[in-house]
Amino acid sequence: MDTLTTCKRCGGNACYEQHIDEATKTWLCMACGFTTSTVMQDNGAVVKTAVESSPELYKDLKFVDDTNLAWLPATITIPEKGMVFLDGTTAKDWVWAGVRAIKLTQEEIDSKKYPEGHNFKMDMQNLKQFGQRDFMDALEYIGFFQVEM
Ligand SMILES: [Zn+2]
């Protein structure tokens, strides 16, 4: 069962709540692009690992809500569509970035520079920046909503 709820981080009303099982819920805010889940207790093992494996900036951007869950920026990667990721230098100075994937040329496939079976690459030339509350526009830019589930 999925519902839209109010985001505890930004107060927007387009926070996508997903019930994985009876005990587990996840949230992804379509406005601010931050995500958390019931296993993301601040200072818990899951959050520690997530922060350690993320860019340094994520530590500063971490938001802890009133139920002690830690929210971190989402990263969306769809190999044949594109990527949406947080691009910034400080906790104040960042944007959402969308990059569309493009088809590899036959030459590139023949060059074996890309893993076997890969037909697309992220084209950094068409990187587009979006505001901190415009995560959904970045998703739209890469064609996220046209993905068949
Ligand atoms: Zn939000």
Side-chain angles (χ1 to χ4, degrees):
M1 188 180 77
D2 304 335
T3 47
L4 283 177
T5 177
T6 301
C7 174
K8 291 202 171 175
R9 179 180 173 273
C10 73
N13 60 5
C15 187
Y16 187 71
E17 180 180 293
Q18 199 167 16
H19 297 228
I20 307 297
D21 57 44
E22 247 166 73
T24 319
K25 284 186 208 170
T26 64
W27 294 269
L28 171 63
C29 177
M30 288 296 168
C32 70
F34 277 59
T35 183
T36 191
S37 79
T38 38
V39 299
M40 299 269 289
Q41 277 98 13
D42 191 33
N43 295 321
V46 177
V47 170
K48 265 190 193 146
T49 309
V51 169
E52 272 163 24
S53 62
S54 301
E56 189 67 22
L57 177 60
Y58 281 41
K59 216 176 287 172
D60 301 330
L61 287 170
K62 187 181 78 173
F63 169 80
V64 181
D65 70 20
D66 56 358
T67 57
N68 200 42
L69 295 181
W71 294 66
L72 289 168
T75 302
I76 307 290
T77 308
I78 304 168
E80 70 278 15
K81 295 268 183 192
M83 256 179 96
V84 173
F85 57 95
L86 187 138
D87 189 9
T89 45
T90 69
K92 275 209 170 81
D93 184 20
W94 60 268
V95 293
W96 285 108
V99 177
R100 284 181 180 154
I102 52 169
K103 263 202 147 122
L104 294 175
T105 61
Q106 194 54 46
E107 216 168 288
E108 285 171 319
I109 293 171
D110 294 342
S111 77
K112 309 261 185 235
K113 272 196 290 188
Y114 299 90
E116 183 83 39
H118 279 225
N119 297 315
F120 291 86
K121 67 171 178 183
M122 297 303 157
D123 179 19
M124 291 315 208
Q125 299 296 317
N126 65 39
L127 184 145
K128 199 173 164 193
Q129 297 188 326
F130 298 87
Q132 297 185 356
R133 295 286 298 265
D134 296 330
F135 182 71
M136 193 150 83
D137 292 341
L139 287 179
E140 208 150 283
Y141 175 68
I142 68 162
F144 178 84
F145 299 105
Q146 284 117 52
V147 175
E148 293 103 71
M149 293 295 184

